[in-house]
Amino acid sequence: VQQTYEAVLLSAGPPSAPGHQFEELFFEHYPRLVKTLLRLVGNSGQAEELAADAFYKLHQHRSQQQPDENPAGWLYRTAMNLGLDALRSDSRRVRREEQAHRDALAHEAPGNPLYEMLAEEQRERVRTVIARLKPIHGQVLLMGSSGFTSKEIAAVLGVKLDSLYVLISRAKAQFEKEYTCLFVRSDGRTQ
Amino acid sequence: MMQCLSESDVQGYLEESGPTPLRQTVEGHLVSCARCRVEFDRVVATHQRVNAWLSELASPADATAVDVHTAFARVSNRIDAHDHLARLLAPAAVEIPWYISLYRSLGELIRPVKLPPLDVTSRPVAVKTIWGLYARDPRSRWVSVGIHAAVFSLLMFGFTSPTMQRAIRQNFTILDPNLKPFVPDMKPQGGGGGGGAREAPPVSKGQLPKPSMKQFVAPQIVDHTPKLATDPSIIAPPDTPLPQSTLNNWGDPLARLMNGSNGIGSGGGMGDRRGGGVGSGNGGGFGLGSDGGIGGGVFHAGGGVSAPAVIVKVDPEYSEEARKAKYSGTVVLSVVVDQEGRARDIHVLKSLGMGLDEKAVEAVQKWKFKPGMKGGQAVNVRAQIEVNFRLL
C-alpha cells in the first residue's frame, strides 16, 4: 500500500526520547558493560565508545522491532560482538598495542616498568585467544572473569544453569587448546 | 551405583561456592568413582589454568570511574539526532514512480474525486485595506524626486572629500586630450586619383593600399585569386600619411557604404573617374585631383615632383600710373604650370597695386615653362613666381 509523504510524517509522531525502561537499563548495565569491554579491548575510551554503540543499537533494535524479552542479553551479545570486531581489527589492535607499550614505558609505574610491559603483553595474548573463540564462548569467559556470577550470566544469556556450565566448560577447554597452540612451547613453557 | 558426573556437574562444582546440593553430590560421587576423579582432575587443571590466564586481563584501568550520566546524555543526543533525521527523510516507500503518479493524475482529471463538503470553521476578520492606487498620488512623485536628489547630492558632495573633488577637476583635461601628435598630417600635397570598374554602386568603404611612387597593380576588389599576387598601391610618396581603416578589403576609407563595389569609374582603380587610384579624381593617387598624390589639386614641387623651370620669359610692362609715381617692387604670383608648360590659375599673393599686378599677370601668361615632372611624366605643379618692377 502506497503511503503519502504526509501520512508518513504524521505516523512518525514526535521524536521518541529514550524511554524510562531504556534509562534504567542504561544505568544498570553501562558500568559493568564498560568494565567487561575494557578487559576485552584494553582501552577505556574505546570500551566506553563500544558500550555507547551497543546501547544505541539496542534502542534502534527496540524501536524498529518488537521489544526483546531479554534486552540485557541482546545488549551484552551485541557489545561482545562489537568488542570482538574491534579486537580483530588489525589496525586498531596494532595502534592499541603501540599505545600500551608507550604507556608502559612513559608512565612510571610504581613497580617495575618492565613488569608492566610484560603484563600488557600477557593481556594481549589472552585477548588474542578470546578473539579466536566462538563469540558465545568468549562472552561467558569474559563475563565470568569480570565478576558476573553464573546466575547473572545465565540470565543475560537466557539459558539454564546446566547449559551455562556446559558452555563454560567447553569454552575453557577451547581456550586452553588455543592458548597452548599459540603461546606454549613443546617443553611446556610459555613463549 | 550412582551415575557418573556430567560435564555440567563438574563445571557447576567449580563455579559454585559453598555447600550447595550440587557440590555435595559431586563430592560424594568422587569418593566412589575413580574414573570421574581422573576426569575431575583434568577439568580442574584446565579451570585453574584458564582462570589464571583470564585474571591477567585485570589492569589498573579497571579502577577508573565511569561517568554514566555523561555517557547517557551522549547516547540520548545521538538517539534524538537519529529520530530527527528519520522524520526528515521519508522512507523510500513514499516515492511514487512517475507513471503511477501520471496515471493517478489523469484518473483524477477524468473522474474528479468527490470530496466531502468543506467544513469551514474560520470566519473572516475585517482588516485595514492595504492595497490602493499610489501611482496618481503626487506626493509619491515628489518624494521620489527628493530621495533621488538627496542620494545624488550625498554621493556628489557628501561622500567625496575635497581632495577627491580637486583630483576629479584636474582630470577633466582628459575630456579634451591633445590628439594632434596622433592625427595624420592630411595636408594636401597635390594630386589625386580615382578609377573604377564601371560598376553601378559607388565605391566601397575599405582600406587604402600602401603609397608608392611606382604603381604595379591598382587596388581593386576581385572575386578571384590572382596567379601572381602583388600588393596593390596608389601613387604617392611612401611617407604620405593616409586615412586609416580597419576593414580588410581595399576601398575608399572615406566612403559611406561597404558594398564590395569598385565604383562607377574606369581604368582599374576604385572610384568615380578614371585611373588606377582610389577616390573621385583621375590617376593613380587618392582623392580629388589627378596624376597621383592625395588630397586633390595639383602637385607641389618636392617629394618626387620636380619644379617647373622658365624657358621663355617676357618682361612685364610698367603701368602709366606707376611710372609717373616711380613706383617699384615685387609682385608674388601663385600659378599652376600645366603639363604643356603654360601658367594658369594665376593668383596674386603679394600685391603692389597701381596696375602692376595686372601687368605681372599679363607677362606671366606669356611665359613658357618646362613642366614639373613626376615619374618621368609632366604633371601640373603649383609654383610661386616673383615679378620684379624696377625703374632704371
Side-chain angles (χ1 to χ4, degrees), chain B residues 224-297:
Chain B
H224 63 274
T225 304
K227 292 181 180 178
L228 183 60
T230 303
D231 289 340
S233 61
I234 58 171
I235 297 174
D239 56 349
T240 303
L242 297 173
Q244 300 295 319
S245 172
T246 57
L247 298 174
N248 293 326
N249 60 291
W250 302 126
D252 185 353
L254 304 181
R256 293 183 178 180
L257 299 176
M258 195 178 76
N259 51 16
S261 171
N262 290 315
I264 61 177
S266 62
M270 303 180 76
D272 306 335
R273 299 280 180 85
R274 181 172 52 82
V278 178
S280 301
N282 294 311
F286 167 65
L288 292 169
S290 60
D291 297 330
I294 66 169

Side-chain angles (χ1 to χ4, degrees), chain A residues 2-5 8-9 12-18 22-23 26-27 30-31 34-35 38-39 44 48 52-53 55-56 59-60 64 116 119 122-123 126-127 130 141-142 145 150 161-163 165-166 168-170 172-173 175-176 179-180 184, chain B residues 7-9 11-13 15-16 22 42-43 45-47 49-51 53-69 71-76 78-80 82-84 87-91 93-97 100 104:
Chain A
Q2 291 288 345
Q3 287 180 292
T4 63
Y5 186 81
V8 170
L9 285 182
S16 57
F22 179 78
E23 187 176 348
F26 190 93
F27 281 90
Y30 181 79
V34 171
K35 299 287 184 188
L38 176 60
R39 290 189 169 226
S44 57
E48 291 190 22
D53 282 351
F55 275 102
Y56 175 75
H59 185 275
Q60 298 302 112
Q64 292 173 2
E116 289 297 327
Q122 179 60 25
R123 284 193 281 271
V126 175
R127 289 172 188 138
I130 290 176
L141 291 181
L142 210 56
S145 71
S150 298
L161 267 180
D162 292 345
S163 303
Y165 292 149
V166 174
I168 293 173
S169 174
R170 292 179 182 175
K172 287 186 174 176
F175 185 95
E176 184 183 34
Y179 191 93
T180 305
V184 178
Chain B
E7 188 178 4
S8 168
D9 294 336
Q11 193 63 43
Y13 177 86
E15 296 296 332
E16 293 180 2
L22 175 63
R42 188 190 64 79
V43 173
T46 299
H47 176 78
R49 279 196 295 269
V50 172
N51 279 0
W53 287 328
L54 289 174
S55 65
E56 299 282 352
L57 289 177
S59 67
D62 291 345
T64 307
V66 179
D67 189 354
V68 186
H69 293 278
F72 181 72
R74 201 162 53 237
V75 173
S76 297
R78 189 174 167 188
I79 290 171
D80 289 344
H82 179 271
D83 288 344
H84 182 68
R87 280 168 52 80
L88 289 178
L89 301 176
V94 173
E95 299 202 1
I96 304 171
I100 294 180
R104 289 180 180 175

Side-chain angles (χ1 to χ4, degrees), chain A residues 41-72:
Chain A
V41 299
N43 181 290
S44 57
Q46 191 180 6
E48 291 190 22
E49 183 183 335
L50 292 172
D53 282 351
F55 275 102
Y56 175 75
K57 287 179 181 295
L58 174 66
H59 185 275
Q60 298 302 112
H61 172 72
R62 299 186 70 188
S63 62
Q64 292 173 2
Q65 302 177 11
Q66 292 294 328
D68 201 331
E69 292 181 355
N70 184 15

